[in-house]
Amino acid sequence: MAGTASGRDHVRPIESGEFDRAMTFPGASSGAVRGGFEPAPAVAVGLSGGGDSLALVLLLRRWIAQRGGSLLALTVDHGLRPDSEAEAEAVGRTMAGLGVPHRILRWEGDKPAAGLQAAAREARHRLLADACADAGILHLALAHHQDDQAETVLLRLARGSGIDGLAGMAPVRAEGAVRVIRPLLGFPHDRLLATCRAEGLDWVEDPSNRNPRFARARLRAVRQTLAEEGLDRDRLCDVARRAGRARAALERVTAALLAETATLHPEGWMTLAPGPLLAAPEEIALRLLARGLSAIGAPAHPIRDEAVERLLGALAAGQGGTLAGCTVRMRRGTVMIAREPAAAVERLAVPPGGRIRWDRRFDLRLSPLRQRPVTVAALGAAGWREWVGRQPAGSVPELPAPVRDSLPSLWSGNELLALPTFGGAYGFDADGQHPMDRATFVPLLSLGRPAFTVVSDRGGII
């Protein structure tokens, strides 16, 4: 624990007016009200129990109260340390003392031996987004601050990132049905801690922040040396600001071109008009292609720029390739982007009336009239042949083989039960009361102009 006493008493807490300005998100559309919030905003906040996220709760609590809204604090217990459960419960008691509703979200299941931080970030991302959806909350606030932004720019510079990476974390970003907001990016870490001290609150220090196994911890250890060479926090945040400005402009052009050239098909695939794609400036074409790959393949991690460059070169030569869980090739005068069947390996059991997201692409609901749980898996070539044999002549849709093989299908053991993307997928049973099995393609990444004024960082950090 860190206490309230400190030698940094000269550091100012964040004042109400400063936070109000941060919540307007400069660059939002001129007609935006309160940065794009509803009149009585419902906001969730990701709360680790550290000083940064605790300060965000304190600031949001006042901001929300002034607007008649509601605040929900969400703590993810990754289960990676023996004390994590007790710490999450202690955070809950702190929230109870502040009168803020609180939920603990637990990361269940096996933990990977390699890539642990990335897996934990993915789990946190999913748990927070699902909790927001369950509560009907559109806005998820995260406590990333200036120091985090500077570290992000350094990490991405070390990995050879382009404009998108050097822009760091966006203050506002659409994430499916949730809008991720980062109102503290303009404030340094020490002012967040000063905000907690001003309220007399303790916070939890995460030991992984100092663990040299992790790149961010190693960067913190050499931070003073870098600052002496001119790579201090302010300089790095200036890089992010300028790169972010360029990124936003590029994204607007890319979104406009996508609206003109892309056709999204309900079976989970896309076609692009090759002429506008290949005639566009290379940077725009690369962004357009990466966005299509992200929409169809729903990769868990950002797609590497050099891989997209190779794929664009192959398309220009009339060829194709596979990338980010997608197969890409010319088909009937268009560029086809389809899910790679070998990548659609998820198998999930769903109870009657249950709802899941399958393969990160399809929103699937099982009819409540089912008598027992079923397995959802990719259809495969044999499954397609079996399903076609059951259909009336002339009623089978013409689809590319990769699309057919990667469709969600319902199974009981080795028995194919249904293909919920077709037929009665959007209707009701004969009594008109109970929905039939339904699978709807809902890409994680919107292809059109964003519902909120955002810039994309092709995955980002959450």
Side-chain angles (χ1 to χ4, degrees), residues 5 15 46 55 65 69 78 86 117 146 148 166 221 291 300 302 318 325 357 379 384 390-391 407 429 446:
E15 299 174 0
H78 293 93
Q117 274 207 324
Q146 273 188 347
D148 292 327
L166 297 181
R291 203 140 180 204
R357 188 168 185 87
L379 180 63
W384 174 258
R390 301 177 186 176
Q391 308 310 308
L407 287 170
D429 286 313
S446 172

Side-chain angles (χ1 to χ4, degrees), residues 369-392:
L369 299 183
R370 290 279 179 190
Q371 299 299 308
R372 58 184 61 86
V374 304
T375 298
V376 183
L379 180 63
W384 174 258
R385 288 193 296 271
E386 180 177 345
W387 183 79
V388 167
R390 301 177 186 176
Q391 308 310 308

Side-chain angles (χ1 to χ4, degrees), residues 168-204:
M169 294 176 280
V172 187
R173 179 167 64 88
E175 183 62 38
V178 178
R179 183 174 77 149
V180 175
I181 60 175
R182 295 183 174 96
L184 300 181
L185 285 178
F187 301 99
H189 173 63
D190 54 2
R191 291 198 65 193
L192 273 60
L193 299 188
T195 303
C196 295
R197 295 188 190 100
E199 296 289 332
L201 291 178
D202 294 346
W203 58 87
V204 176

Side-chain angles (χ1 to χ4, degrees), residues 69-263:
S70 61
L71 180 64
L72 173 63
L74 301 171
T75 298
V76 176
D77 176 11
H78 293 93
L80 298 177
R81 292 181 289 106
D83 298 333
S84 65
E85 182 175 359
E87 289 171 357
E89 292 172 352
V91 171
R93 291 191 292 273
T94 300
M95 291 301 100
L98 294 173
V100 176
H102 178 255
R103 282 186 58 195
I104 297 175
L105 313 174
R106 291 185 168 84
W107 183 20
E108 308 287 355
D110 297 333
K111 311 299 189 293
L116 182 59
Q117 274 207 324
R121 184 168 59 247
E122 171 68 15
R124 183 164 65 249
H125 175 123
R126 172 177 50 80
L127 290 167
L128 290 171
D130 287 350
C132 288
D134 290 344
I137 292 174
L138 298 177
H139 318 284
L140 171 63
L142 301 177
H144 297 112
H145 47 74
Q146 273 188 347
D147 299 78
D148 292 327
Q149 185 74 301
E151 290 169 3
T152 298
V153 173
L154 269 178
L155 281 170
R156 294 181 178 179
L157 181 62
R159 294 168 184 167
S161 294
I163 289 291
D164 280 15
L166 297 181
M169 294 176 280
V172 187
R173 179 167 64 88
E175 183 62 38
V178 178
R179 183 174 77 149
V180 175
I181 60 175
R182 295 183 174 96
L184 300 181
L185 285 178
F187 301 99
H189 173 63
D190 54 2
R191 291 198 65 193
L192 273 60
L193 299 188
T195 303
C196 295
R197 295 188 190 100
E199 296 289 332
L201 291 178
D202 294 346
W203 58 87
V204 176
E205 293 286 0
D206 185 349
S208 68
N209 288 335
R210 299 183 300 275
N211 190 332
R213 285 179 56 202
F214 304 125
R216 283 183 180 267
R218 295 193 297 272
L219 280 178
R220 290 170 189 140
V222 298
R223 186 164 164 176
Q224 183 58 41
T225 301
L226 293 171
E228 291 170 358
E229 297 299 325
L231 282 175
D232 60 9
R233 179 186 63 207
D234 292 344
R235 181 66 57 81
L236 289 165
C237 287
D238 280 344
V239 170
R241 177 177 57 81
R242 294 183 180 114
R245 185 172 59 207
R247 182 175 68 183
L250 291 167
E251 282 292 296
R252 283 193 292 271
V253 176
T254 302
L257 186 59
L258 268 166
E260 297 173 8
T261 63
T263 302

Side-chain angles (χ1 to χ4, degrees), residues 263-322:
T263 302
L264 202 60
H265 301 274
E267 302 87 9
W269 59 299
M270 176 192 300
T271 50
L272 298 171
L277 171 67
L278 298 176
E282 185 178 10
E283 178 65 22
I284 302 303
L286 290 168
R287 287 172 176 272
L288 188 151
L289 188 55
R291 203 140 180 204
L293 291 165
S294 295
I296 302 304
H301 306 291
I303 307 169
R304 297 188 69 85
D305 291 341
E306 56 266 31
V308 185
E309 291 169 357
R310 287 193 296 270
L311 180 58
L312 182 63
L315 289 172
Q319 302 169 0
T322 58

